[in-house]
Amino acid sequence: MNHHEADAPHIYMQLLGRTHRGTARSFLPRSSRARRRVEWLLILATGAAVFAASSRSELYERLHNSLARYEGFQADELIFVLLSVLAALAVFSALRWRDARAELLSRIEAERSLHHFAERNRELAQALIGLQELERRRIAHELHDHLGQNCNAIRIDAVFLRSTLGSDTTSHAAATRIAEMADDLYQTVRGLLYELRPAALDSLGLIGALQSLCESWEERTSISCALLPEGEFTDMDEPVSIALYRIAQESLSNVVKHAGATHVKLFLSRTEATIELRIEDDGRGPDPAGVRAGLGWLGMKERASMLGGELTTSPGPLGGLAVRCRIPVPRNTTETKNEKVTDG
């Protein structure tokens, strides 16, 4: 379907107005009804003018006299043939108009249904993302309260046993290994906790959490990562902070998997109307079509969409891929900021 075909239902919708299912009647706006009255008046005026002109000039008598010489060919009957052809064309046009109208109404109804289901799917996706965050938070609390504390308890007991046993015994070596394994397991749990629910978002805010993400990611991958913020982000709402953090997290993960980059830059800026997060790398950059087909891309796009924003990719100035997320500033955040300025 091309652009004009895609816009046709919207154009006809404006001409027809709101329609009811199961009836062919359309409720036109005032401008359309006024235009239709003008068209009917023009048709009636044209008919009256033709009738007056033909009556004044006796057009039929002249036509009949001119065709009388061709009586042998019955040429004077051609006018009735033409009238019948015109009547048939009028009936045919009315039938085709009715079919076209019915098809148009069905297309409009199908588009409405498609739009409804698309909105429903978007609501379900947004609800799924919200449930995912809640489940991540619950699992993080479970890991911290149970597995993390148990690892610490095992390590403390192992260190105690190691201190009470002789250094040359096998029990001392076993206690040492237990303490090391418990410490290694605890570090693994800490990494999982950070992936599931970054505590830095609660304690340090969005800028601190992103900076911590860049530092830890740089340590794990040996890829240079720099955060360049611009603006004030201390009054960010939790959904906005989590969405931006997850988008940055997924983008950095894609850089490791696909880009083969050596440098990554995160630009975070804020104006009175929008917040923008841009991730650029100097790698080869994956195929944009392949990126859009992945689940990670869909998740990032839904996170931006649920906040009224958009997520796009394009070739970046560093030579790799640039991921750009733009979301509007929440209204309550803007109002709070204005109130602070007013109070000051």
Side-chain angles (χ1 to χ4, degrees):
M1 181 181 291
N2 56 31
H3 178 70
H4 298 288
E5 291 177 346
D7 289 343
H10 299 286
I11 297 174
Y12 286 116
M13 187 64 182
Q14 295 176 358
L15 294 177
L16 294 178
R18 300 189 306 174
T19 59
H20 289 281
R21 183 184 300 177
T23 177
R25 182 182 179 184
S26 63
F27 296 88
L28 300 175
R30 288 185 178 180
S31 59
S32 298
R33 292 199 298 267
R35 185 177 60 184
R36 175 163 292 187
R37 285 196 295 268
V38 171
E39 291 174 352
W40 276 109
L41 289 176
L42 287 176
I43 293 173
L44 294 177
T46 302
V50 171
F51 175 76
S54 60
S55 299
R56 188 176 184 85
S57 61
E58 296 183 350
L59 182 61
Y60 176 78
E61 289 78 2
R62 291 185 180 184
L63 181 62
H64 180 74
N65 293 332
S66 62
L67 293 177
R69 68 185 70 178
Y70 303 105
E71 180 64 26
F73 300 98
Q74 298 296 322
D76 56 343
E77 308 296 338
L78 288 176
I79 186 171
F80 298 104
V81 175
L82 294 176
L83 290 175
S84 64
V85 170
L86 290 175
L89 289 176
V91 173
F92 179 81
S93 299
L95 293 176
R96 297 287 75 79
W97 178 85
R98 186 185 63 181
D99 295 341
R101 182 185 179 85
E103 182 178 358
L104 175 61
L105 294 179
S106 64
R107 286 190 178 185
I108 292 174
E109 187 64 27
E111 183 176 315
R112 286 178 175 174
S113 300
L114 183 61
H115 180 72
H116 171 73
F117 286 122
E119 288 295 327
R120 181 59 177 168
N121 289 338
R122 185 175 302 278
E123 291 175 0
L124 291 175
Q126 294 174 0
L128 180 61
I129 291 175
L131 291 175
Q132 185 184 52
E133 289 297 332
L134 291 177
E135 187 66 15
R136 283 180 171 180
R137 179 179 296 182
R138 186 189 66 81
I139 295 175
H141 284 303
E142 291 291 331
L143 289 175
H144 179 270
D145 295 340
H146 295 283
L147 188 57
Q149 293 182 5
N150 289 336
C151 288
N152 279 329
I154 293 173
R155 184 178 182 279
I156 293 172
D157 290 342
V159 171
F160 175 76
L161 289 175
R162 185 178 60 183
S163 63
T164 57
L165 297 173
S167 59
D168 56 348
T169 62
T170 56
S171 298
H172 182 277
T176 302
R177 290 194 301 270
I178 292 173
E180 292 176 351
M181 286 186 293
D183 186 66
D184 183 67
L185 182 59
Y186 180 73
Q187 296 301 325
T188 302
V189 171
R190 286 190 61 186
L192 291 175
L193 289 174
Y194 191 81
E195 293 291 330
L196 291 172
R197 176 66 183 180
L201 274 178
D202 300 324
S203 58
L204 303 177
L206 178 60
I207 299 297
L210 289 177
Q211 185 63 44
S212 178
L213 174 65
C214 290
E215 293 174 357
S216 62
W217 184 80
E218 188 173 1
E219 291 177 0
R220 294 195 308 268
T221 62
S222 299
I223 300 176
S224 174
C225 183
L227 174 64
L228 303 173
E230 181 180 352
E232 181 66 31
F233 298 93
T234 56
D235 57 345
M236 298 293 295
D237 291 343
E238 183 179 6
V240 176
S241 299
I242 292 177
L244 293 175
Y245 183 87
R246 294 300 184 192
I247 290 173
Q249 191 178 40
E250 182 64 29
S251 299
L252 292 178
S253 177
N254 289 334
V255 169
V256 176
K257 294 178 183 178
H258 308 289
T262 58
H263 294 83
V264 180
K265 291 183 178 181
L266 276 70
F267 300 89
L268 183 63
S269 61
R270 174 178 176 176
T271 63
E272 293 183 358
T274 60
I275 301 172
E276 180 177 317
L277 173 65
R278 191 170 71 255
I279 301 98
E280 299 177 358
D281 64 77
D282 62 349
R284 58 181 177 272
D287 182 13
V291 173
R292 293 184 178 88
L295 294 178
W297 166 263
L298 294 177
M300 291 191 296
K301 192 172 182 180
E302 285 300 328
R303 287 183 183 276
S305 178
M306 68 186 295
L307 297 173
E310 61 177 357
L311 190 75
T312 59
T313 59
S314 61
L318 299 181
L321 190 71
V323 179
R324 176 175 295 178
C325 173
R326 288 182 178 178
I327 60 176
V329 176
R331 182 177 301 177
N332 56 348
T333 302
T334 305
E335 292 175 353
T336 303
K337 184 176 180 181
N338 293 335
E339 290 177 359
K340 290 182 180 179
V341 172
T342 304
D343 295 339

